[in-house]
Amino acid sequence: MSRTMSDGSEDFNGNISRTGSHRQTDHHGYKVRFPPAKGLFTELAEGVKETFFANDPLREYKDQPRSKKLWLSLAHLFPVLDWARSYTFGMFKGDFVAGLTIASLCIPQDIGYAKLAFLPAHVGLYSSFVPPLIYAAMGTSRDIAIGPAAVLSLLLGTLLQEEIDPVKNPYEYSRLAFTATFFAGVTQAMLGFFRLGFIIEFLSHAAIVGFMAGAAITIGLQQLKGFLGIAKFTKKSDIISVMESVWGNVHHGCNWQTILIGASFLAFLLTTKYIAKKNKKLFWVSAIAPLISVIISTFCVFITRADKQGVAIVKDIKQGINPPSFHLIYWTGPYLVKGFRIGVVAGMVGLTEAIAIGRTFAALKDYQIDGNKEMLALGTMNIVGSMTSCYVGTGSMSRSAVNYMAGCKTAISNVVMAIVVMLTLLLVTPLFKYTPNAILASIIINAVVSLVDYETAYLIWKVDKMDFMALLGAFFGVVFASVEYGLLIAVAISLGKILLQVTRPRTALLGNLPRTTIYTNVEQYPEATKVPGVMIVRVDSAIYFTNSNYVKERILRWLRDEEEQQQEQKLSKTEFLIVELSPVTDIDTSGIHALEELLKALEKRKIQLILANPGPAVIQKLRSAKFTELIGDDKIFLSVDDAVKKFAPKSALNV
C-alpha cells in the first residue's frame, strides 16, 4: 500500500521517498508548515475516538429526532431489525435449505464435541438450539454457523478436568462448565461493550494457524480411544501421553468390531469430503455424510447387538429441550474463581475463532461485519446459554463453510438449524441410543483434518520467518504440552515479535536513482548512487522511548561505516546528514532527546543535521520542544531532493 505525501511523494512501506520531477518547480519554494496547535483535551478526545470509535458509530444519530435515535439504538443492538425489513421469500428459500443442511451436519458433531468436552451428549445438542437464536438477532455475519466447535471443546475439556474429574463428579463438572461458559460470555460481551476488540489482534494469524493445526492433531489422537475401542485412556492431551496410552492398550487387544466401524465410516467420510472438494456443487454430499453414517452405523449395531460384543455406544441421550441452569452456576466459593479463569481463556479463543471465520466469509461476499457487535452477540448468546444448560459456543469453520456453500442469505439459516435441533431433542434422541462411539470419533477426525492448513503454513514460511516461528511455537506447544500452553506460547511469540519491531525499527541508507529526483534504499536499488558529501538515512518507524536510543546509535553506526569507507576509497568527507522522516508517524520526548544527542555528536564531527519531510505530529512536537530552534528552520525541508539541492547543488545538477 502507498500513501501520497503533501509534496507529491509516495511512501511505499517506507521503501521510496520520491519527489516527482513534474512537481519540482511547484514545491521548490515551499517550507515545512506547522499544523494548528491542539489542546490536551482535543488530543485525548481524538486519541480515544480513533482507538475505540474508529468507525464513527454515532454519525448516523446526528440531527435525528428522538424516535429515530431510539430505533437506531435498537437496530444497533439487534441488527435483525435493520436487515429484516428487506427480507424476502427468495432469501428464505436459500436460508431454509442451508439451515437443513447444517443441521444434518451439526447433530452428529454436537454429540461428538460434547464428549470431547467430557459433557453429556444432550448438552452438545442444547448448545446448538438456544445460542444460534440469540446470535441470529444480534450478529452481523450472514454466513457464520453457531454451535460447539472442536478446538473450543477440547480446550474446555482439558481445563475443566484439571479441576474436577468428569467421571467421578459429573454434576460438579457440569456446574463448572456452565460457570466457565457464563464468564466466557461476560468476557466477550464486555470486550464488545467497551469496544476493546483490538485486544484479540495480539494473537497473530500465524499463531492461530499453528494453534489450530496442533489442536487438530491432539483432537485426532484423542479420538483413538473411541476409534480403537480402548476402555482405559489417558486424560492428558499431549502426544507422548496419548501414544503411551495407545501402545499400552495394544498389548491387551482392541475391539475389532469397533475398529471396523470406525475405519470403514472414516474412509466413507473422507471420500465424500474429497468429492465435495473436487466438485463444489456436490458440497451437500460431504455435509450429509456424517448424519448418514450415524444412521447406518446405529442401525447396524442395533440389529447385530454389537454393543454386547464390546462395541461402546452412546446409550441414552436425555430427551427434551434445554432446562434452566442459572442455579447451577457457581456464584461463590473456590470454583467461582476457577470458572472465571477458564471462561476468560475459552471466551478469548472462541472470539478469535468466530471473528476470523466471520471475516473470511464476509470478504468472499463483499460485505462488512462489525467486530464489536459480533463480540456483544457472542457474549450475550454464551451468557444466555450458560443459563440454559449450554456450554461455550462459537462459529464453526466446517459448518460455516457448508452454510456458505448451501447458499445461505442471512443468519436465519441458524434459526432453521436451531428449530431442527429442537425437534431432534423433542422427538429423535432415543434413536441415538445404539450409536457407536467409533462413528463419533470418525466424524470428529474427519472434521478436524481440514484444520491442518499446511498450504498457509508454507506460505507463512516463505513470507515471514518470525511469523513461522510463532506458528511452530503454537503447534508444538499444543502437541507436546497442552492446549493452554500452546496458546500461551503463541501469544508470547506474537508479543515478542511486536516488541522486537518496536524496539529495533528498520533504518535505511538512501541513494539517488540516476536521472531522477528519487532517493531510495541502496540495498533494494543497488543502482542508486550516494550523494558525495551527504549521507541520507531513513527511519522506518515512530521514534519512542523504546527505540530512541537504538535509532540514534544506528544512525551513528551508519556514519562510522561511511567514514571508514571514505578513508579507504579516499572519498570526500561527509558534511551533511539528512534524516528522512516521512515514515516517522510520531515522536515522544525520549525521541526528541535522542535527536538532541545525535545533533551534539554530529557537531563534534563538524557535520550538519538536516531533517526532511517531517509529518504534522512530529514537526509540532519538535517545535514544542524547541528543537526546531536548536537545529534552525533552514535545516528542515519538505523533501530530500530540496535538501540536496540546497546543500549539495553540484551533485543535484548531475541528477
Side-chain angles (χ1 to χ4, degrees), residues 172-192:
E172 288 78 7
Y173 184 87
S174 296
R175 290 190 65 185
L176 186 58
F178 297 146
T179 305
T181 301
F182 174 79
F183 285 111
V186 169
T187 300
Q188 294 169 336
M190 288 297 99
L191 289 174

Side-chain angles (χ1 to χ4, degrees), residues 530-548:
K530 298 176 183 177
V531 180
V534 179
M535 192 175 81
I536 308 168
V537 177
R538 188 186 63 229
V539 181
D540 293 337
S541 167
I543 305 176
Y544 292 133
F545 66 95
T546 54
N547 61 25
S548 58

Side-chain angles (χ1 to χ4, degrees), residues 113-434:
Y113 291 162
K115 285 187 171 294
L116 198 59
F118 303 105
L119 289 166
H122 58 267
V123 174
L125 293 171
Y126 289 165
S127 303
S128 281
F129 172 42
V130 174
L133 296 176
I134 304 295
Y135 181 84
M138 300 184 67
T140 60
S141 173
R142 305 172 194 169
D143 303 276
I144 197 168
I146 295 297
V151 174
L152 205 52
S153 299
L154 171 68
L155 175 65
L156 197 67
T158 303
L159 296 176
L160 290 174
Q161 71 170 345
E162 290 178 359
E163 307 298 338
I164 300 176
D165 190 319
V167 178
K168 296 179 180 178
N169 303 294
Y171 178 72
E172 288 78 7
Y173 184 87
S174 296
R175 290 190 65 185
L176 186 58
F178 297 146
T179 305
T181 301
F182 174 79
F183 285 111
V186 169
T187 300
Q188 294 169 336
M190 288 297 99
L191 289 174
F193 182 78
F194 291 108
R195 308 183 70 83
L196 298 173
F198 60 86
I199 290 176
I200 64 173
E201 305 295 344
F202 282 100
L203 195 60
S204 68
H205 173 65
I208 293 172
V209 171
F211 176 75
M212 290 291 189
I217 299 295
T218 301
I219 292 168
L221 290 173
Q222 286 194 331
Q223 298 316 299
L224 292 176
K225 175 185 178 182
F227 194 84
L228 301 175
I230 298 173
K232 294 182 179 180
F233 201 73
T234 180
K235 292 182 179 180
K236 297 181 180 179
S237 61
D238 63 281
I239 188 171
I240 296 174
S241 299
V242 171
M243 295 313 296
E244 284 179 349
S245 184
V246 171
W247 185 252
N249 282 278
V250 166
H251 300 291
H252 301 292
C254 299
N255 186 277
W256 69 267
Q257 295 98 327
T258 300
I259 297 174
L260 178 63
I261 293 171
S264 57
F265 281 102
L266 179 59
F268 169 68
L269 291 169
L270 292 174
T271 301
T272 57
K273 178 176 279 190
Y274 177 78
I275 293 171
K277 187 176 182 180
K278 287 295 182 181
N279 189 344
K280 299 296 184 182
K281 294 181 179 179
L282 297 177
F283 71 91
W284 55 270
V285 175
S286 177
I288 65 172
L291 188 60
I292 292 173
S293 300
V294 168
I295 294 171
I296 294 175
S297 62
T298 301
F299 180 72
C300 290
V301 170
F302 175 72
I303 61 174
T304 61
R305 295 316 304 268
D307 57 306
K308 294 186 177 180
Q309 300 173 34
V311 175
I313 58 175
V314 173
K315 298 181 180 178
D316 293 325
I317 297 180
K318 187 177 178 181
Q319 192 171 6
I321 59 174
N322 307 36
S325 57
F326 179 83
H327 62 287
L328 297 178
I329 297 173
Y330 286 109
W331 300 110
T332 58
Y335 287 129
L336 170 64
V337 177
K338 293 175 180 178
F340 174 78
R341 178 180 60 83
I342 296 170
V344 169
V345 175
M348 295 293 284
V349 173
L351 201 57
T352 303
E353 187 174 359
I355 296 293
I357 293 169
R359 286 176 178 170
T360 299
F361 291 103
L364 292 174
K365 286 189 176 179
D366 194 25
Y367 69 92
Q368 297 291 324
I369 65 169
D370 189 317
N372 291 298
K373 289 182 182 179
E374 286 294 293
M375 289 184 279
L376 200 58
L378 292 165
T380 304
M381 80 176 195
N382 279 317
I383 290 172
V384 175
S386 70
M387 300 176 185
T388 52
S389 302
C390 305
Y391 76 98
V392 186
T394 186
S396 167
M397 188 63 191
S398 58
R399 270 179 260 178
S400 298
V402 169
N403 197 29
Y404 170 80
M405 295 297 295
C408 70
K409 304 299 180 185
T410 68
I412 293 297
S413 59
N414 276 287
V415 176
V416 175
M417 177 193 71
I419 292 172
V420 174
V421 171
M422 178 193 71
L423 294 174
T424 301
L425 285 165
L426 290 172
L427 306 172
V428 186
T429 48
L431 301 180
F432 290 114
K433 179 179 180 180
Y434 291 99

Side-chain angles (χ1 to χ4, degrees), residues 418-464:
I419 292 172
V420 174
V421 171
M422 178 193 71
L423 294 174
T424 301
L425 285 165
L426 290 172
L427 306 172
V428 186
T429 48
L431 301 180
F432 290 114
K433 179 179 180 180
Y434 291 99
T435 299
N437 288 338
I439 192 63
L440 299 178
S442 299
I443 290 170
I444 293 174
I445 293 172
N446 177 64
V448 300
V449 164
S450 57
L451 294 179
V452 183
D453 193 350
Y454 58 89
E455 292 179 352
T456 300
Y458 179 65
L459 179 63
I460 291 170
W461 160 256
K462 290 199 301 182
V463 173
D464 192 322

